[in-house]
Amino acid sequence: MLECVLIDLNVNKNTNVNELIEKHMPFIIKSISDVTGRYVSCENDEELSVGLLGFHEAIQRYDNEKGHFLSFAKLVIGSRIKNYLKGENKHQHSSLEDLLDKGLEIKDEYLEQKEDNSLLVDQINRLKSEISSFGFTLEELAEEAPKQQATRKNAISLSEEISKEEEFTSFMYEKKRLPIKRIVLRFTVTEKVIKRSKKFIISVVIIIDKNLSGLKNWIRK
Amino acid sequence: MNKGMILELSKSYAIALNDEGIMEKIAFKKDMKVGQKIFYFEDDIVKATRSKVYRHNNFIKTFGSIAALFLLVFTFFNTMKVDQAYAIVSLDINPSIQIEADSNKKVIKVEGINDDGKNIDFTDIKGLDIDTGIQRIKEKLVEKKYLDTNTEVLVGVAFTTTNEDNSSYEETLKDAIRATFNTEDITYIKADKKEIEEAKTEGISLGRYKAKESISVDQDTKNNIGKAPVKQITALIKDKENVIQWDAKDEKINEAPVTNVKPEVKNENPPTNVDANTNSNTNTNVGKDRPVTNVPSDNPNSNVDKETGNNGNKPAKNNDILEVEPEAPVVDETKPNNTKPTDNTINIGPSNGTIENNTTSSKIQDETKPNNILPVEPKIDSVNKDTKK
């Protein structure tokens, strides 16, 4: 029962089911991912719904004699996911509805509406071809991209500034490099900052300039 | 936990752009698609540099181990090949030499059986074709002047395989030997596989061993056959089965140097005889040697005699040369040539005292024979008859 779970997890007794689930979302996703061997998709994934149902079931059936709650819950989620995978082709019903039936509210964050991926894939491919014309790959970009949040935010805002200036973007596309000197003069940033993350800046400028909306929205979030 | 959009897929990882704008490499899991939005965890992030180094190392390791394996396998097979001698050819002139050849008619090993043979360096012959190898051996022998005095070659041939057809191989060997030693009398004996080992255990060459097995003489002579001069052996076995004899086709080339040396020997006739005896004694360390050294001196004669009698084809040639030649050039070339060859022989082995001693000793020993032939002929014949009776 919920009380036993709350005792075992040593959390505030006033926590309700939805809060508990929200708090353990990463745990649920990890449990699912471990069983399926796949990443859990964000977009209205049936597996996630099944996992949530499993978690809910675990809360209902738990008592303190059954050991730690989390290991118990993981077992329950695992077996529910396995059942789901086995019977996947036989009966297809939306477990999302089951969730709602049980009065569980899932944040939109975890249940994005399934979009048409083809547009996004197309945009990704355009980005790839653009940056390859600048002489680097996504892999190199991934290695160079600033890891610090502050640096990254600076770089993104700088890129937004640059993309507004026609003069800079045309230079960039023509010469396949950033007009670093002029950017330094214009935006009062140090040369070092630009040089360190020039690939990242170039990519972001491309994304903004070419209006790759899917990627743009993703980054800005 | 992060939310990420998959931007690119590769074999072992994917690049995901997470919702904070960071691009990360994450481990590849099945059913990934470009553009898919997923949840991933810290454990899924692949450390880029480490994976790169790892893969690089991995490549080198795999390549290296494959290369090493090939190296191992090939060297192993090569050594296996080398170890397998297909044919054994033994040459007895004075140095006894044994050649091992593989199935491709390549020389794989050349070794001296007696002391004189061991003092010759045959390392460069290894790997040559059998015919060129024999040619080179003869060149070496000529260089060291062994063939100046010895005109008899005892050849023993055996094959290590019994079930295969060796006749064409044997023909090649015969041709090679005949072509090479065309100025010497060749006695050819065919032995079999078992006798290779037996000859080896006795420490004598294959030809000598086979000869020993074939002839029917008293035990004493048999025991000494390993050291007996070739002429004696060839004379003993010439009528036996499995023995083929080829006479020298052109002996003039061969005889010329002999005559040059003769005068020198003539002068020192008694001392050289002693030398020969003592040397052979030191070689064998057995007192029995005296009969052996006596025997060679008479046997060559009997051999010559018999040859003249048996081989009606070229007796005149043989005899003429043997008898006539010594007299004519001896006078002319006695002194100038006399000293030179002796000097040369001494120069051959200055680095090693034993070499010098052996080569000269063998030479002198052999040189005495032709020398003896002429003046002592009747005497020795009588001795020979005596010993035989």
Side-chain angles (χ1 to χ4, degrees), chain B residues 216-271:
Chain B
S216 48
V217 286
D218 56 294
Q219 202 58 38
D220 218 30
T221 331
K222 265 197 178 181
N223 287 341
N224 287 313
I225 205 142
K227 288 107 191 174
V230 178
K231 284 194 178 188
Q232 179 199 355
I233 300 166
T234 53
L236 284 169
I237 63 162
K238 62 184 294 187
D239 296 326
K240 302 291 183 220
E241 279 178 49
N242 293 331
V243 175
I244 309 166
Q245 281 196 315
W246 296 295
D247 289 333
K249 282 173 186 146
D250 184 9
E251 284 190 293
K252 273 181 186 166
I253 306 159
N254 191 30
E255 288 298 310
V258 177
T259 51
N260 289 341
V261 192
K262 258 168 206 167
E264 161 215 12
V265 185
K266 217 174 203 173
N267 296 335
E268 302 164 1
N269 210 356

Side-chain angles (χ1 to χ4, degrees), chain A residues 25-27 29-30 33 36-43 48 109-110 112 115 117 120-121 124 127-128 138-139 141-143 145-147 149 152 156 200 214-215 218-219 221, chain B residues 1 3-9 13 15 17-41 43-45 48-49 52 55:
Chain A
M25 210 60 188
F27 164 78
I29 292 170
K30 184 93 176 86
S33 187
T36 59
R38 282 183 288 230
Y39 289 109
V40 177
S41 178
C42 314
E43 296 151 339
L48 182 58
E109 191 193 332
Y110 298 103
E112 284 181 22
E115 307 164 4
N117 255 356
L120 191 61
V121 171
I124 291 168
L127 176 67
K128 270 186 208 169
L138 267 180
E139 193 181 337
L141 177 62
E143 273 159 35
K147 305 285 183 289
Q149 202 172 1
R152 197 169 49 247
I156 292 172
F200 183 72
L215 291 164
W218 190 259
I219 290 174
K221 219 178 262 175
Chain B
M1 189 183 70
K3 273 172 89 175
M5 182 199 286
I6 298 168
L7 293 184
E8 196 177 60
L9 292 175
Y13 61 89
I15 294 172
L17 179 69
N18 72 8
D19 51 357
E20 288 173 339
I22 307 176
M23 286 180 182
E24 277 173 324
K25 282 184 178 180
I26 54 172
F28 183 86
K29 291 185 181 176
K30 57 188 176 183
D31 295 346
M32 289 175 102
K33 283 191 287 278
V34 172
Q36 193 186 17
K37 289 164 188 165
I38 51 147
F39 295 102
Y40 67 92
F41 299 88
D43 331 359
D44 299 323
I45 296 168
T49 48
K52 214 172 190 178
R55 284 168 66 204

Side-chain angles (χ1 to χ4, degrees), chain B residues 127-180:
Chain B
L128 295 172
D129 284 330
I130 186 82
D131 42 356
T132 43
I134 292 172
Q135 199 87 44
R136 289 294 301 276
I137 290 169
K138 191 194 172 178
E139 280 164 23
K140 278 174 188 287
L141 296 178
V142 169
E143 204 175 288
K144 303 222 170 185
K145 300 199 183 302
Y146 285 113
L147 285 167
D148 290 0
T149 48
N150 298 312
T151 60
E152 294 276 348
V153 182
L154 174 65
V155 182
V157 170
F159 291 96
T160 53
T161 51
T162 46
N163 47 356
E164 286 172 51
D165 181 31
N166 302 317
S167 54
S168 69
Y169 200 119
E170 200 180 346
E171 270 322 299
T172 335
L173 283 178
K174 279 181 185 172
D175 290 346
I177 292 159
R178 285 187 75 170
T180 310

